[in-house]
Amino acid sequence: MSLSFEIQRSTAARTDAERAAVLADPGFGVHFTDHMVRISWTKERGWHDAAVLPYGPITLDPSAAVFHYAQEIFEGLKAYRHADGSIWLFRPEKNAARLQTSADRLMLPHLPADDFIEAVRQLVTVDAAWVPEANGEQSLYIRPFMIASEPFLGIRAAEGVTFYVIASPAGRYFGAAGVAGIDIWVTDEWARAGIGGTGAAKCGGNYAASLVAQYEGYEHGCTQVMFIEPAGKDRVEELGGMNIFLISADGDLITPELTGTILDGVTRDSILTVAADLGLTPREERLSASEVLGGIASGRFTEAFCCGTAAVISPIAGFKSHHGEWRLAEQSFTRTLGLRDAILDIQYGRSEDRHGWLRRVV
Ligand SMILES: *Cc1c(COP(=O)(O)O)cnc(C)c1O
């Protein structure tokens, strides 16, 4: 039976003028809407007490398992406002399914897909005024997450878990650099995840593990890091929080195959699906670092980009590592930006939703 949601409206909601000031320059992940969703789970009762509540701090016991053993998973999706004012989600069932995959890996309970989508729908409906006009590329970023909230320091799967959904109005993730081309630091020293590890789960621990490489990248003027599987030192995986693609001069669109250490991105899957419409041949392959960097040097790969819900598609201008620097031949990113527009046009309702990816909320 699906959950029903109790709605407790905030008495401290921002005024129209305050909200307008935030939406004028939302940034990314700094401002949050007036409400949040909370659903509790215990081993005895299953999922219960679903509610939309005023946004605010969470009270947890200091011994809550999540603080000690990182039993936590999350999701990321967006709500888009179309020109007629209606509000839509993009493939939320993929996020619902992936949360379950992540839950399996981290020994957290399955939240039924219908309840996941309903939780998101409830929040977006109550906070609909926070979904910005498209205005270039604005949206409401939605962050569902699940934590082991049971107060217990023993090592086992938590028997008390809480699921939340919060939302944040978002502008362009990398600012203007998002379409101007970013530089990528290549590391085979640090791993964000390993074989048999949690790389295919969307969990905070993978991000904590990626930060040291990310900061090494910053020191070399790079915005993001590309991880190479460090045991064999040759298999290209992905970035800290985004998948990666290369485009060859003859129109192949190649991304590393899903090996269990890479996150199965919704944007990645959507790009593979629309590729043919843009005259590109999608391929999921094992890619070695030498093949990628050598291919850039030889002119085989002329464009590269990274992708994820937050940043959509960001063209890559070049790669750097301790061993050298590689610039992509094509710095106007024609095909990358074509793919970017194709995805954005579907999300914002500017082109026909031929794959049935949009779900109307409001
Ligand atoms: C979320 C995420 C992505 C992108 O997934 P999308 O579903 O496209 O947003 C890629 N890699 C990692 C590690 C991620 O956490």
Side-chain angles (χ1 to χ4, degrees), residues 39-94:
I39 314 176
S40 302
W41 179 90
T42 58
K43 199 177 169 191
E44 305 78 59
R45 296 180 61 195
W47 292 106
H48 60 276
D49 287 352
V52 179
L53 304 167
Y55 183 91
I58 298 172
T59 301
L60 286 175
D61 195 282
S63 69
V66 63
F67 295 137
H68 308 277
Y69 310 125
Q71 207 192 350
E72 181 269 357
I73 55 177
F74 67 96
E75 269 304 323
L77 67 165
K78 284 174 169 175
Y80 305 88
R81 192 181 288 280
H82 289 188
D84 65 359
S86 60
I87 299 173
W88 303 73
L89 302 173
F90 182 72
R91 310 186 76 185
E93 58 284 345
K94 295 282 281 180

Short mmCIF file of all heavy atoms in Angstrom, two decimals, residues 39-94:
data_model
loop_
_atom_site.label_atom_id
_atom_site.label_comp_id
_atom_site.label_asym_id
_atom_site.label_seq_id
_atom_site.Cartn_x
_atom_site.Cartn_y
_atom_site.Cartn_z
N ILE A 39 10.36 10.56 5.75
CA ILE A 39 9.65 9.28 5.91
C ILE A 39 10.52 8.40 6.81
O ILE A 39 11.73 8.29 6.59
CB ILE A 39 9.40 8.56 4.57
CG1 ILE A 39 8.86 9.51 3.49
CG2 ILE A 39 8.43 7.40 4.76
CD1 ILE A 39 8.68 8.86 2.11
N SER A 40 9.91 7.78 7.80
CA SER A 40 10.67 6.94 8.74
C SER A 40 10.51 5.47 8.38
O SER A 40 9.50 5.06 7.81
CB SER A 40 10.16 7.15 10.17
OG SER A 40 10.27 8.51 10.50
N TRP A 41 11.53 4.72 8.76
CA TRP A 41 11.49 3.26 8.56
C TRP A 41 12.06 2.58 9.80
O TRP A 41 13.08 3.03 10.35
CB TRP A 41 12.33 2.87 7.35
CG TRP A 41 12.38 1.39 7.06
CD1 TRP A 41 11.52 0.69 6.25
CD2 TRP A 41 13.33 0.43 7.56
NE1 TRP A 41 11.89 -0.64 6.22
CE2 TRP A 41 12.99 -0.83 7.01
CE3 TRP A 41 14.43 0.51 8.40
CZ2 TRP A 41 13.72 -2.00 7.29
CZ3 TRP A 41 15.15 -0.66 8.68
CH2 TRP A 41 14.80 -1.89 8.13
N THR A 42 11.37 1.57 10.26
CA THR A 42 11.98 0.69 11.26
C THR A 42 11.79 -0.74 10.78
O THR A 42 10.92 -1.03 9.95
CB THR A 42 11.33 0.83 12.66
OG1 THR A 42 9.93 0.53 12.54
CG2 THR A 42 11.53 2.22 13.24
N LYS A 43 12.63 -1.61 11.33
CA LYS A 43 12.57 -3.01 10.94
C LYS A 43 11.18 -3.58 11.24
O LYS A 43 10.64 -4.36 10.46
CB LYS A 43 13.65 -3.78 11.71
CG LYS A 43 14.00 -5.10 11.08
CD LYS A 43 15.12 -5.79 11.84
CE LYS A 43 15.28 -7.21 11.37
NZ LYS A 43 16.15 -7.97 12.26
N GLU A 44 10.60 -3.16 12.37
CA GLU A 44 9.29 -3.70 12.75
C GLU A 44 8.16 -3.14 11.89
O GLU A 44 7.28 -3.86 11.45
CB GLU A 44 8.94 -3.38 14.23
CG GLU A 44 9.95 -3.82 15.27
CD GLU A 44 11.14 -2.87 15.33
OE1 GLU A 44 10.92 -1.67 15.60
OE2 GLU A 44 12.28 -3.30 15.09
N ARG A 45 8.19 -1.82 11.67
CA ARG A 45 7.02 -1.17 11.04
C ARG A 45 7.17 -0.90 9.56
O ARG A 45 6.19 -0.53 8.91
CB ARG A 45 6.73 0.17 11.75
CG ARG A 45 6.33 0.00 13.22
CD ARG A 45 6.06 1.34 13.86
NE ARG A 45 4.95 2.06 13.21
CZ ARG A 45 4.70 3.35 13.38
NH1 ARG A 45 5.46 4.08 14.17
NH2 ARG A 45 3.68 3.93 12.77
N GLY A 46 8.36 -1.06 9.01
CA GLY A 46 8.56 -0.68 7.61
C GLY A 46 8.48 0.84 7.47
O GLY A 46 8.69 1.58 8.44
N TRP A 47 8.14 1.34 6.27
CA TRP A 47 8.04 2.79 6.03
C TRP A 47 6.76 3.33 6.65
O TRP A 47 5.69 2.74 6.48
CB TRP A 47 8.06 3.09 4.53
CG TRP A 47 9.39 2.78 3.92
CD1 TRP A 47 9.70 1.70 3.12
CD2 TRP A 47 10.60 3.52 4.08
NE1 TRP A 47 11.03 1.75 2.76
CE2 TRP A 47 11.61 2.85 3.34
CE3 TRP A 47 10.95 4.69 4.77
CZ2 TRP A 47 12.93 3.31 3.27
CZ3 TRP A 47 12.26 5.15 4.70
CH2 TRP A 47 13.23 4.45 3.96
N HIS A 48 6.86 4.45 7.35
CA HIS A 48 5.69 5.03 7.99
C HIS A 48 5.93 6.52 8.26
O HIS A 48 7.05 7.00 8.11
CB HIS A 48 5.36 4.30 9.30
CG HIS A 48 6.48 4.36 10.31
ND1 HIS A 48 7.55 3.49 10.30
CD2 HIS A 48 6.72 5.21 11.35
CE1 HIS A 48 8.38 3.78 11.29
NE2 HIS A 48 7.91 4.83 11.94
N ASP A 49 4.86 7.20 8.69
CA ASP A 49 4.94 8.62 9.04
C ASP A 49 5.54 9.47 7.91
O ASP A 49 6.51 10.20 8.11
CB ASP A 49 5.80 8.83 10.32
CG ASP A 49 5.05 8.38 11.57
OD1 ASP A 49 3.84 8.06 11.45
OD2 ASP A 49 5.67 8.34 12.64
N ALA A 50 4.95 9.37 6.73
CA ALA A 50 5.41 10.20 5.62
C ALA A 50 4.85 11.61 5.80
O ALA A 50 3.65 11.76 6.05
CB ALA A 50 4.92 9.61 4.30
N ALA A 51 5.70 12.61 5.69
CA ALA A 51 5.22 13.97 5.90
C ALA A 51 6.01 14.99 5.10
O ALA A 51 7.20 14.82 4.85
CB ALA A 51 5.30 14.33 7.39
N VAL A 52 5.30 16.05 4.72
CA VAL A 52 5.96 17.26 4.21
C VAL A 52 6.01 18.22 5.40
O VAL A 52 4.98 18.52 6.00
CB VAL A 52 5.14 17.90 3.06
CG1 VAL A 52 5.83 19.17 2.57
CG2 VAL A 52 4.95 16.91 1.92
N LEU A 53 7.20 18.66 5.75
CA LEU A 53 7.42 19.46 6.96
C LEU A 53 8.11 20.76 6.60
O LEU A 53 8.74 20.87 5.54
CB LEU A 53 8.37 18.70 7.91
CG LEU A 53 7.95 17.30 8.33
CD1 LEU A 53 9.13 16.59 8.99
CD2 LEU A 53 6.78 17.38 9.29
N PRO A 54 8.09 21.73 7.50
CA PRO A 54 8.91 22.93 7.28
C PRO A 54 10.38 22.51 7.16
O PRO A 54 10.83 21.63 7.91
CB PRO A 54 8.69 23.76 8.54
CG PRO A 54 7.37 23.28 9.08
CD PRO A 54 7.29 21.82 8.74
N TYR A 55 11.12 23.12 6.23
CA TYR A 55 12.55 22.84 6.08
C TYR A 55 13.26 23.27 7.37
O TYR A 55 12.97 24.33 7.91
CB TYR A 55 13.12 23.64 4.91
CG TYR A 55 14.58 23.35 4.66
CD1 TYR A 55 14.96 22.35 3.78
CD2 TYR A 55 15.58 24.06 5.31
CE1 TYR A 55 16.30 22.06 3.55
CE2 TYR A 55 16.92 23.78 5.10
CZ TYR A 55 17.28 22.78 4.22
OH TYR A 55 18.59 22.49 4.01
N GLY A 56 14.18 22.44 7.85
CA GLY A 56 14.91 22.85 9.03
C GLY A 56 15.84 21.77 9.52
O GLY A 56 15.87 20.67 8.98
N PRO A 57 16.61 22.09 10.57
CA PRO A 57 17.60 21.15 11.08
C PRO A 57 16.97 19.83 11.53
O PRO A 57 15.82 19.79 11.94
CB PRO A 57 18.21 21.89 12.28
CG PRO A 57 17.94 23.32 12.03
CD PRO A 57 16.65 23.37 11.28
N ILE A 58 17.77 18.78 11.45
CA ILE A 58 17.36 17.44 11.85
C ILE A 58 17.99 17.16 13.21
O ILE A 58 19.17 17.44 13.40
CB ILE A 58 17.92 16.42 10.84
CG1 ILE A 58 17.36 16.66 9.44
CG2 ILE A 58 17.65 15.01 11.29
CD1 ILE A 58 18.04 15.79 8.37
N THR A 59 17.23 16.61 14.14
CA THR A 59 17.81 16.21 15.42
C THR A 59 18.11 14.72 15.37
O THR A 59 17.24 13.92 15.10
CB THR A 59 16.82 16.50 16.56
OG1 THR A 59 16.54 17.89 16.55
CG2 THR A 59 17.41 16.12 17.90
N LEU A 60 19.38 14.38 15.60
CA LEU A 60 19.77 12.97 15.61
C LEU A 60 20.60 12.70 16.85
O LEU A 60 21.33 13.58 17.32
CB LEU A 60 20.63 12.63 14.38
CG LEU A 60 19.94 12.51 13.03
CD1 LEU A 60 21.00 12.29 11.95
CD2 LEU A 60 18.95 11.35 13.02
N ASP A 61 20.52 11.49 17.35
CA ASP A 61 21.36 11.10 18.47
C ASP A 61 22.82 11.07 17.99
O ASP A 61 23.09 10.63 16.88
CB ASP A 61 20.92 9.70 18.93
CG ASP A 61 21.49 9.37 20.29
OD1 ASP A 61 22.69 9.01 20.36
OD2 ASP A 61 20.75 9.49 21.28
N PRO A 62 23.76 11.52 18.82
CA PRO A 62 25.17 11.48 18.37
C PRO A 62 25.66 10.08 18.02
O PRO A 62 26.63 9.93 17.29
CB PRO A 62 25.94 12.05 19.58
CG PRO A 62 24.94 12.87 20.32
CD PRO A 62 23.61 12.21 20.13
N SER A 63 24.98 9.06 18.54
CA SER A 63 25.40 7.70 18.20
C SER A 63 24.72 7.18 16.93
O SER A 63 24.92 6.02 16.56
CB SER A 63 25.10 6.76 19.37
OG SER A 63 23.69 6.60 19.50
N ALA A 64 23.95 8.01 16.23
CA ALA A 64 23.28 7.55 15.00
C ALA A 64 24.33 6.94 14.07
O ALA A 64 25.39 7.52 13.82
CB ALA A 64 22.55 8.71 14.33
N ALA A 65 24.02 5.77 13.55
CA ALA A 65 25.00 4.98 12.79
C ALA A 65 25.59 5.75 11.61
O ALA A 65 26.77 5.59 11.29
CB ALA A 65 24.35 3.68 12.33
N VAL A 66 24.79 6.60 10.98
CA VAL A 66 25.29 7.30 9.79
C VAL A 66 26.55 8.11 10.08
O VAL A 66 27.45 8.22 9.23
CB VAL A 66 24.18 8.20 9.16
CG1 VAL A 66 23.75 9.31 10.12
CG2 VAL A 66 24.64 8.79 7.85
N PHE A 67 26.66 8.67 11.29
CA PHE A 67 27.83 9.49 11.63
C PHE A 67 29.10 8.68 11.75
O PHE A 67 30.20 9.21 11.65
CB PHE A 67 27.60 10.23 12.95
CG PHE A 67 26.49 11.23 12.92
CD1 PHE A 67 25.59 11.32 13.97
CD2 PHE A 67 26.34 12.11 11.85
CE1 PHE A 67 24.57 12.25 13.96
CE2 PHE A 67 25.32 13.04 11.83
CZ PHE A 67 24.43 13.11 12.89
N HIS A 68 28.96 7.40 12.03
CA HIS A 68 30.13 6.58 12.35
C HIS A 68 30.51 5.64 11.21
O HIS A 68 31.68 5.46 10.92
CB HIS A 68 29.87 5.80 13.64
CG HIS A 68 29.43 6.72 14.73
ND1 HIS A 68 30.33 7.44 15.48
CD2 HIS A 68 28.19 7.14 15.10
CE1 HIS A 68 29.64 8.23 16.31
NE2 HIS A 68 28.35 8.07 16.11
N TYR A 69 29.49 5.08 10.55
CA TYR A 69 29.77 4.05 9.55
C TYR A 69 29.27 4.41 8.16
O TYR A 69 29.28 3.57 7.26
CB TYR A 69 29.21 2.71 10.03
CG TYR A 69 29.62 2.39 11.46
CD1 TYR A 69 28.69 2.11 12.44
CD2 TYR A 69 30.97 2.44 11.83
CE1 TYR A 69 29.07 1.86 13.75
CE2 TYR A 69 31.36 2.19 13.14
CZ TYR A 69 30.41 1.92 14.10
OH TYR A 69 30.79 1.69 15.39
N ALA A 70 28.80 5.66 8.00
CA ALA A 70 28.49 6.18 6.66
C ALA A 70 27.46 5.36 5.90
O ALA A 70 27.55 5.23 4.68
CB ALA A 70 29.78 6.34 5.85
N GLN A 71 26.50 4.81 6.63
CA GLN A 71 25.43 4.08 5.92
C GLN A 71 24.44 5.12 5.41
O GLN A 71 23.52 5.52 6.10
CB GLN A 71 24.77 3.07 6.88
CG GLN A 71 24.16 1.89 6.16
CD GLN A 71 23.28 1.06 7.10
OE1 GLN A 71 23.26 1.27 8.30
NE2 GLN A 71 22.55 0.14 6.51
N GLU A 72 24.70 5.57 4.19
CA GLU A 72 23.96 6.70 3.60
C GLU A 72 23.95 6.58 2.09
O GLU A 72 24.96 6.19 1.50
CB GLU A 72 24.65 8.02 3.99
CG GLU A 72 23.99 9.28 3.48
CD GLU A 72 24.48 9.80 2.14
OE1 GLU A 72 25.43 9.21 1.56
OE2 GLU A 72 23.92 10.77 1.64
N ILE A 73 22.84 6.90 1.48
CA ILE A 73 22.75 6.95 0.01
C ILE A 73 21.95 8.18 -0.39
O ILE A 73 21.22 8.73 0.43
CB ILE A 73 22.08 5.68 -0.58
CG1 ILE A 73 20.70 5.44 0.06
CG2 ILE A 73 22.99 4.46 -0.36
CD1 ILE A 73 19.94 4.24 -0.52
N PHE A 74 22.11 8.61 -1.65
CA PHE A 74 21.33 9.77 -2.07
C PHE A 74 20.99 9.69 -3.55
O PHE A 74 21.42 8.79 -4.26
CB PHE A 74 22.07 11.08 -1.73
CG PHE A 74 23.35 11.32 -2.49
CD1 PHE A 74 23.35 12.11 -3.63
CD2 PHE A 74 24.56 10.80 -2.05
CE1 PHE A 74 24.53 12.37 -4.32
CE2 PHE A 74 25.75 11.05 -2.73
CZ PHE A 74 25.73 11.84 -3.87
N GLU A 75 20.20 10.65 -3.98
CA GLU A 75 19.82 10.77 -5.38
C GLU A 75 19.88 12.23 -5.77
O GLU A 75 20.01 13.12 -4.91
CB GLU A 75 18.40 10.23 -5.63
CG GLU A 75 18.38 8.74 -5.99
CD GLU A 75 19.25 8.47 -7.20
OE1 GLU A 75 19.29 9.30 -8.12
OE2 GLU A 75 19.94 7.43 -7.22
N GLY A 76 19.78 12.51 -7.06
CA GLY A 76 19.75 13.89 -7.53
C GLY A 76 18.92 13.94 -8.80
O GLY A 76 19.19 13.18 -9.73
N LEU A 77 17.90 14.78 -8.81
CA LEU A 77 17.10 14.97 -10.02
C LEU A 77 16.59 16.41 -10.01
O LEU A 77 16.83 17.13 -9.05
CB LEU A 77 15.96 13.94 -10.13
CG LEU A 77 14.80 13.96 -9.14
CD1 LEU A 77 13.66 13.11 -9.70
CD2 LEU A 77 15.17 13.41 -7.78
N LYS A 78 15.95 16.81 -11.10
CA LYS A 78 15.52 18.20 -11.19
C LYS A 78 14.05 18.31 -11.59
O LYS A 78 13.54 17.44 -12.30
CB LYS A 78 16.35 18.95 -12.24
CG LYS A 78 17.76 19.32 -11.79
CD LYS A 78 18.53 19.93 -12.94
CE LYS A 78 19.84 20.56 -12.49
NZ LYS A 78 20.62 21.02 -13.68
N ALA A 79 13.42 19.40 -11.17
CA ALA A 79 12.10 19.76 -11.69
C ALA A 79 12.29 20.96 -12.61
O ALA A 79 13.01 21.90 -12.26
CB ALA A 79 11.16 20.11 -10.54
N TYR A 80 11.67 20.88 -13.79
CA TYR A 80 11.84 21.89 -14.83
C TYR A 80 10.52 22.61 -15.07
O TYR A 80 9.48 21.97 -15.21
CB TYR A 80 12.26 21.22 -16.15
CG TYR A 80 13.50 20.37 -16.01
CD1 TYR A 80 13.40 19.03 -15.64
CD2 TYR A 80 14.76 20.90 -16.23
CE1 TYR A 80 14.53 18.24 -15.49
CE2 TYR A 80 15.90 20.12 -16.09
CZ TYR A 80 15.79 18.80 -15.72
OH TYR A 80 16.90 18.02 -15.57
N ARG A 81 10.58 23.94 -15.16
CA ARG A 81 9.37 24.70 -15.49
C ARG A 81 9.34 24.95 -17.00
O ARG A 81 10.30 25.46 -17.57
CB ARG A 81 9.33 26.03 -14.73
CG ARG A 81 7.97 26.71 -14.82
CD ARG A 81 7.92 28.03 -14.08
NE ARG A 81 7.92 27.91 -12.63
CZ ARG A 81 6.85 27.62 -11.88
NH1 ARG A 81 5.69 27.38 -12.46
NH2 ARG A 81 6.94 27.56 -10.57
N HIS A 82 8.24 24.54 -17.62
CA HIS A 82 8.09 24.76 -19.06
C HIS A 82 7.52 26.15 -19.30
O HIS A 82 7.07 26.83 -18.37
CB HIS A 82 7.19 23.68 -19.66
CG HIS A 82 7.85 22.33 -19.72
ND1 HIS A 82 7.32 21.23 -20.36
CD2 HIS A 82 9.03 21.89 -19.19
CE1 HIS A 82 8.13 20.19 -20.23
NE2 HIS A 82 9.17 20.56 -19.52
N ALA A 83 7.54 26.56 -20.57
CA ALA A 83 7.13 27.93 -20.91
C ALA A 83 5.69 28.22 -20.49
O ALA A 83 5.36 29.36 -20.17
CB ALA A 83 7.31 28.14 -22.42
N ASP A 84 4.82 27.20 -20.46
CA ASP A 84 3.41 27.42 -20.08
C ASP A 84 3.21 27.41 -18.57
O ASP A 84 2.08 27.43 -18.09
CB ASP A 84 2.52 26.36 -20.74
CG ASP A 84 2.81 24.95 -20.21
OD1 ASP A 84 3.72 24.79 -19.36
OD2 ASP A 84 2.14 24.00 -20.65
N GLY A 85 4.33 27.33 -17.80
CA GLY A 85 4.22 27.37 -16.33
C GLY A 85 4.14 26.00 -15.69
O GLY A 85 4.33 25.87 -14.48
N SER A 86 3.87 24.95 -16.47
CA SER A 86 3.77 23.61 -15.90
C SER A 86 5.15 23.13 -15.42
O SER A 86 6.18 23.64 -15.87
CB SER A 86 3.19 22.64 -16.94
OG SER A 86 4.03 22.61 -18.09
N ILE A 87 5.15 22.16 -14.49
CA ILE A 87 6.41 21.68 -13.88
C ILE A 87 6.54 20.18 -14.11
O ILE A 87 5.58 19.43 -13.87
CB ILE A 87 6.44 22.00 -12.38
CG1 ILE A 87 6.35 23.52 -12.17
CG2 ILE A 87 7.70 21.44 -11.72
CD1 ILE A 87 6.19 23.93 -10.71
N TRP A 88 7.74 19.74 -14.52
CA TRP A 88 7.95 18.36 -14.94
C TRP A 88 9.20 17.77 -14.32
O TRP A 88 10.19 18.47 -14.11
CB TRP A 88 8.09 18.31 -16.47
CG TRP A 88 6.92 18.89 -17.21
CD1 TRP A 88 6.58 20.21 -17.34
CD2 TRP A 88 5.92 18.16 -17.93
NE1 TRP A 88 5.43 20.34 -18.08
CE2 TRP A 88 5.01 19.10 -18.47
CE3 TRP A 88 5.72 16.79 -18.19
CZ2 TRP A 88 3.92 18.71 -19.24
CZ3 TRP A 88 4.62 16.42 -18.95
CH2 TRP A 88 3.72 17.38 -19.47
N LEU A 89 9.15 16.46 -14.07
CA LEU A 89 10.34 15.69 -13.66
C LEU A 89 10.85 14.92 -14.88
O LEU A 89 10.07 14.57 -15.77
CB LEU A 89 9.99 14.70 -12.55
CG LEU A 89 9.40 15.29 -11.27
CD1 LEU A 89 8.95 14.17 -10.33
CD2 LEU A 89 10.43 16.19 -10.57
N PHE A 90 12.15 14.65 -14.89
CA PHE A 90 12.78 13.93 -16.00
C PHE A 90 13.17 12.52 -15.51
O PHE A 90 14.02 12.40 -14.64
CB PHE A 90 14.02 14.71 -16.44
CG PHE A 90 14.76 14.12 -17.61
CD1 PHE A 90 14.22 14.18 -18.90
CD2 PHE A 90 16.01 13.53 -17.44
CE1 PHE A 90 14.91 13.66 -19.98
CE2 PHE A 90 16.72 13.02 -18.53
CZ PHE A 90 16.17 13.07 -19.80
N ARG A 91 12.51 11.52 -16.00
CA ARG A 91 12.81 10.11 -15.73
C ARG A 91 12.97 9.78 -14.23
O ARG A 91 13.93 9.10 -13.83
CB ARG A 91 14.09 9.68 -16.49
CG ARG A 91 14.07 10.07 -17.97
CD ARG A 91 15.27 9.52 -18.73
NE ARG A 91 15.12 8.09 -18.98
CZ ARG A 91 16.07 7.33 -19.53
NH1 ARG A 91 17.22 7.87 -19.89
NH2 ARG A 91 15.88 6.06 -19.72
N PRO A 92 12.04 10.25 -13.37
CA PRO A 92 12.23 10.02 -11.93
C PRO A 92 12.23 8.54 -11.55
O PRO A 92 12.80 8.17 -10.52
CB PRO A 92 11.04 10.75 -11.29
CG PRO A 92 9.99 10.77 -12.37
CD PRO A 92 10.75 10.92 -13.66
N GLU A 93 11.61 7.71 -12.39
CA GLU A 93 11.59 6.27 -12.08
C GLU A 93 13.01 5.68 -12.13
O GLU A 93 13.30 4.69 -11.47
CB GLU A 93 10.62 5.51 -13.00
CG GLU A 93 10.87 5.61 -14.50
CD GLU A 93 10.44 6.96 -15.11
OE1 GLU A 93 9.70 7.73 -14.46
OE2 GLU A 93 10.88 7.23 -16.24
N LYS A 94 13.89 6.30 -12.93
CA LYS A 94 15.29 5.84 -12.96
C LYS A 94 15.97 6.14 -11.61
O LYS A 94 16.76 5.34 -11.11
CB LYS A 94 16.08 6.56 -14.06
CG LYS A 94 15.64 6.26 -15.47
CD LYS A 94 16.14 4.92 -15.97
CE LYS A 94 17.58 4.95 -16.42
NZ LYS A 94 18.01 3.61 -16.91
#
